[in-house]
Amino acid sequence: MFNRLSKSEYACFLALAASLRSEDNVTFCGTAIFDENYRTISTGMNGFSKGFKPSEELFLEHNRELKSKYITHSEINALMCLNGQKPYYAASNYSPCIFCTKAIIGSGVKHYFYLKQYLKAGKEPDLEFMEIFNFYGIKYQQLTKENIVNILVTLDYCKEFLWRI
């Protein structure tokens, strides 16, 4: 049996589910956005412009920054699909890059949850989002190992349920 997911765990669980649709077969980033009552109002994943098929070479490790330049990040994709609804909470697999941070602030999000720290060029933590979120009063939280274990236990339960179908 599993414990009921907390709101932040549930949010990151849905972001993980959205990441499974990512066109970026290396990073797999997803975002889920919720209103003030914690209703899901949008999801997004890393992706290219509709109909565009990039070459496999773009996904090689040495092209990470080039890929990031051309792909639309999951946060932006989720924000573009709000259809006039007011966001309040957002969750992603990763902390946001500087460009997504600015878009999140402009959208009205008040709380941001994430599972893992985004690394610049795959090496050093990109902490600029913290400074900017603090400046604008946006709350943020990286889920703990205990939170992640609870999500994993829930996934195991889902797997067992599906095998019984």
Side-chain angles (χ1 to χ4, degrees):
M1 196 60 180
F2 64 93
N3 294 321
R4 182 178 186 208
L5 293 178
S6 68
K7 289 181 178 182
S8 59
E9 292 167 346
Y10 173 71
C12 287
F13 182 85
L14 288 184
L16 280 171
S19 76
L20 298 175
R21 293 281 303 141
S22 176
E23 290 182 292
D24 181 348
N25 60 7
V26 176
T27 309
F28 289 103
C29 193
T31 297
I33 299 179
F34 306 85
D35 67 12
E36 195 169 3
N37 297 310
Y38 236 94
R39 288 184 297 242
T40 308
I41 57 175
S42 184
T43 59
M45 68 290 301
N46 284 1
F48 293 94
S49 286
K50 192 172 184 164
F52 179 76
K53 300 288 185 223
S55 70
E56 289 298 316
E57 185 179 321
L58 192 59
F59 293 103
L60 298 176
E61 185 60 33
H62 69 275
N63 284 334
R64 187 173 190 269
E65 293 302 314
L66 182 63
K67 174 191 66 179
S68 183
K69 180 177 169 180
Y70 292 110
I71 202 163
T72 302
H73 289 186
S74 64
E75 298 93 334
I76 302 300
N77 273 327
L79 292 170
M80 289 188 326
C81 295
L82 285 174
N83 295 323
Q85 297 181 78
K86 288 186 165 195
Y88 196 83
Y89 301 97
S92 291
N93 303 37
Y94 294 95
S95 59
C97 72
I98 189 74
F99 302 108
C100 291
T101 297
K102 292 176 183 182
I104 290 163
I105 289 165
S107 74
V109 166
K110 304 293 183 214
H111 298 266
Y112 189 87
F113 305 107
Y114 63 100
L115 295 171
K116 189 174 179 181
Q117 183 66 52
Y118 174 75
L119 301 177
K120 282 193 235 182
K123 296 180 177 107
E124 61 185 71
D126 185 351
L127 303 176
E128 288 181 300
F129 82 96
M130 292 178 178
E131 178 186 342
I132 297 169
F133 277 1
N134 287 336
F135 181 82
Y136 284 99
I138 308 297
K139 295 178 182 170
Y140 54 91
Q141 174 191 347
Q142 181 174 6
L143 270 62
T144 65
K145 288 194 186 299
E146 291 80 18
N147 295 128
I148 293 169
V149 166
N150 201 32
I151 292 170
L152 291 171
V153 168
T154 301
L155 286 170
D156 278 343
Y157 174 80
C158 292
K159 183 173 80 174
E160 288 177 29
F161 171 79
L162 289 171
W163 280 116
R164 286 185 259 143
I165 293 178

